[in-house]
């Protein structure tokens, strides 16, 4: 059987186009490069949508919660408060006169300041079309809280649990109990569920305005319990003596209220139980910052931005909510703009990244200083001492 060879066509010189394509590399590399470009374009599109589209989609589903612990007229007229004022008036100590003046100013100014905040928030809520929930000691003592929606302003029942045993201080500051904060967050959750049924999701802005210190997030102005026998005489003796600023407080003068640890625990509980997410938490009180590693660790992941005063005190009227809400536009997520506005009042703004950075610094501060030089010491031993030891061992 004869075989026939298939004639081959003569080789042709590659065209300039093919030479250029060959010089650019294999086709798979070009496809990979195109895929990377498409991925970056898609990511940029998602980012633009998140910045310009998503905020306008959630703006109509925002709830602003104002939780304020003012000094009420009932608190000023309580037996413990009147006993404290009488004790201070009976003392000739300059510190007693200063404390008495501070109490009178606080009792007059702080409630008016909270009324002013509520008026500002009501105007902002009406302009932006967001819901506003208001909790105050005055309303809570009457078994009420207030809410402003598109339907207007109204008061609704609020019955936080109260301990069976009386308390000379907290009985006149009901919102200074962690159980009251929990009950308030339960009310917020019901409002959020109602909004979700209408709109699909929600955004929470929580403002806690009260007195505070390094460990307390919300407490009454007066924490000295003079209901115990002999306490007034002990207070007078301390006023006449020179006290060290870091001296330990006696049992009757220990702070009462909601600690920072309890605050974050209650927010975590609300997030886990009700699915709440807090876009912004404002701690409008003196020395309200996250100051310990435990406080940072307890901030739930459902909290985005925290605004606080750090280690500083806050003067009456320093935090201006009119300025904070002034640049917030209808149809835009308000949390970021409010945080920027509060920063103009001298408060500190911490997002998740900054909280991680500062908690890392606190963690490093707990490490003994000599451990930071340990790697260098080991390197010196390895580089300089080890060769000499090896040389000595060989020479033996």
């Amino acid at each position: 059987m004869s075989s026939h060879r298939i004639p081959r066509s003569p080789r042709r010189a590659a065209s300039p186009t093919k030479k250029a394509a060959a010089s650019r590399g294999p086709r798979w590399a070009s496809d990979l490069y195109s895929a990377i470009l498409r991925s970056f374009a898609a990511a940029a599109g998602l980012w633009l949508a998140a910045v310009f589209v998503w905020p306008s989609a959630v703006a109509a589903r925002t709830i602003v919660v104002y939780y304020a612990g003012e000094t009420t007229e009932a608190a000023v007229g309580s037996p413990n408060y009147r006993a404290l004022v009488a004790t201070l008036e009976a003392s000739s100590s300059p510190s007693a006169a200063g404390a008495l003046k501070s109490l009178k100013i606080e009792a007059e100014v702080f409630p008016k300041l909270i009324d002013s905040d509520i008026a500002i928030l009501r105007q902002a809520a009406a302009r932006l079309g967001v819901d506003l929930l208001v909790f105050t000691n005055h309303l809570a003592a009457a078994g009420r809280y207030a809410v402003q929606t598109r339907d207007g302003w109204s008061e609704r029942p609020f019955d936080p649990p109260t301990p069976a045993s009386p308390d000379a201080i907290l009985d006149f500051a009901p919102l200074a109990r962690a159980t009251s904060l929990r009950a308030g967050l339960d009310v917020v959750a019901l409002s959020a569920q109602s909004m979700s049924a209408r709109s699909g999701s929600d955004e929470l802005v929580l403002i806690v305005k009260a007195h505070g210190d390094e460990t307390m997030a919300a407490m009454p102005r007066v924490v000295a319990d003079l209901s115990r026998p002999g306490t007034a005489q002990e207070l007078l003796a301390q006023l006449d003596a020179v006290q060290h600023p870091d001296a330990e407080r006696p049992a009757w003068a220990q702070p009462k209220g909601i600690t920072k640890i309890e605050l974050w625990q209650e927010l975590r509980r609300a997030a886990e139980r009700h699915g709440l997410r807090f876009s912004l938490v404002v701690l409008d009180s003196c020395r309200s910052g996250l100051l310990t590693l435990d406080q940072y660790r307890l901030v739930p992941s459902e909290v985005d931005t925290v605004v606080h005063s750090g280690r500083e005190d806050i003067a009456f009227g320093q935090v201006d909510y009119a300025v904070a809400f002034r640049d917030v536009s209808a149809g835009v997520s308000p949390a970021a703009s409010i945080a920027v506005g509060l920063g103009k009042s001298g408060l500190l703004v911490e997002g998740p990244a900054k909280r991680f950075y500062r908690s890392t610094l606190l963690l490093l501060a707990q490490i003994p200083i000599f451990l930071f030089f340990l790697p260098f010491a080991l390197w010196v031993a390895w580089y300089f001492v080890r060769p000499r030891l090896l040389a000595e061992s060989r020479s033996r």
Side-chain angles (χ1 to χ4, degrees):
M1 186 175 179
S2 61
S3 61
H4 300 277
R5 293 183 178 179
I6 300 176
R8 296 181 178 179
S9 58
R11 293 180 180 269
R12 296 180 179 179
S15 65
T17 303
K18 291 184 178 180
K19 286 184 177 180
S23 64
R24 287 196 299 264
R27 183 178 182 82
W28 64 267
S30 176
D31 293 341
L32 178 61
Y33 179 73
S34 300
I36 292 174
L37 288 180
R38 287 194 296 268
S39 300
F40 274 111
L46 291 174
W47 180 81
L48 290 173
V51 172
F52 296 104
V53 178
W54 171 247
S56 62
V58 301
R61 300 186 289 271
T62 299
I63 300 177
V64 178
V65 182
Y66 187 73
Y67 190 93
E70 81 282 20
T71 302
T72 63
E73 293 182 2
V76 174
S78 66
N80 185 75
Y81 198 102
R82 286 189 282 108
L84 176 60
V85 171
T87 302
L88 294 175
E89 290 176 340
S91 174
S92 59
S93 169
S95 58
L100 184 61
K101 180 180 179 180
S102 176
L103 284 179
K104 292 181 178 179
I105 292 176
E106 190 274 343
E108 178 182 356
V109 174
F110 199 47
K112 293 180 180 179
L113 187 60
I114 287 180
D115 290 340
S116 175
D117 287 348
I118 294 173
I120 292 171
L121 293 175
R122 288 185 62 182
Q123 293 178 358
R127 177 174 62 86
L128 299 174
V130 303
D131 284 2
L132 172 66
L133 275 68
V134 174
F135 300 86
T136 66
N137 278 331
H138 175 74
L139 287 171
R144 314 288 289 178
Y145 77 98
V147 58
Q148 176 171 306
T149 63
R150 294 176 181 178
D151 298 328
W153 175 268
S154 63
E155 294 184 5
R156 300 177 183 178
F158 178 59
D159 188 22
T162 55
S165 57
D167 189 290
I169 297 173
L170 296 183
D171 286 349
F172 297 92
L175 294 189
R177 289 189 171 102
T179 53
S180 298
L181 177 60
R182 176 178 299 185
L185 292 174
D186 290 341
V187 170
V188 172
L190 291 176
S191 298
Q193 291 172 5
S194 174
M195 291 183 67
S196 297
R198 301 195 310 263
S199 309
S201 63
D202 48 72
E203 178 185 49
L204 294 178
V205 175
L206 173 63
I207 302 172
V208 180
K209 188 182 187 74
H211 297 286
D213 64 11
E214 289 82 1
T215 61
M216 306 299 294
M219 66 180 186
R221 174 62 179 84
V222 172
V223 296
D225 187 354
L226 273 65
S227 61
R228 305 177 184 179
T231 304
Q233 290 75 15
E234 187 177 348
L235 174 60
L236 285 173
Q238 290 199 356
L239 290 173
D240 294 334
V242 178
Q243 297 291 326
H244 191 275
D246 297 329
E248 185 179 355
R249 293 184 178 184
W252 51 267
Q254 291 296 326
K256 293 184 177 182
I258 302 173
T259 67
K260 294 178 181 178
I261 299 297
E262 289 174 332
L263 171 72
W264 300 123
Q265 288 174 339
E266 292 302 329
L267 295 190
R268 182 182 299 275
R269 173 191 172 276
E272 294 174 350
R273 182 173 181 178
H274 302 297
L276 298 181
R277 183 169 191 88
F278 301 88
S279 300
L280 178 64
V281 175
V282 182
L283 303 180
D284 186 355
S285 60
C286 294
R287 288 163 277 173
S288 61
L290 301 164
L291 305 180
T292 67
L293 193 58
D294 288 339
Q295 292 174 9
Y296 272 106
R297 286 172 174 169
L298 284 175
V299 178
S301 59
E302 292 80 5
V303 172
D304 294 335
T305 303
V306 180
V307 176
H308 57 77
S309 61
R311 297 180 180 271
E312 303 299 324
D313 290 336
I314 296 179
F316 289 135
Q318 174 181 333
V319 181
D320 191 342
Y321 289 98
V323 172
F325 280 82
R326 182 177 58 197
D327 296 330
V328 180
S329 303
V332 177
S333 176
S337 298
I338 295 171
V340 172
L342 291 173
K344 297 177 182 178
S345 295
L347 298 183
L348 304 178
V349 180
E350 287 190 1
K354 184 173 288 187
R355 290 200 302 271
F356 175 78
Y357 167 73
R358 295 199 173 184
S359 63
T360 303
L361 291 181
L362 288 174
L363 179 62
L364 293 176
Q366 296 181 356
I367 300 176
I369 190 66
F370 74 89
L371 290 180
F372 289 100
F373 296 95
L374 184 59
F376 177 73
L378 293 176
W379 176 81
V380 170
W382 178 268
Y383 191 82
F384 293 101
V385 179
R386 179 175 174 271
R388 295 182 181 179
L389 294 178
L390 291 175
E392 292 179 358
S393 63
R394 292 171 182 171
S395 62
R396 292 177 182 175

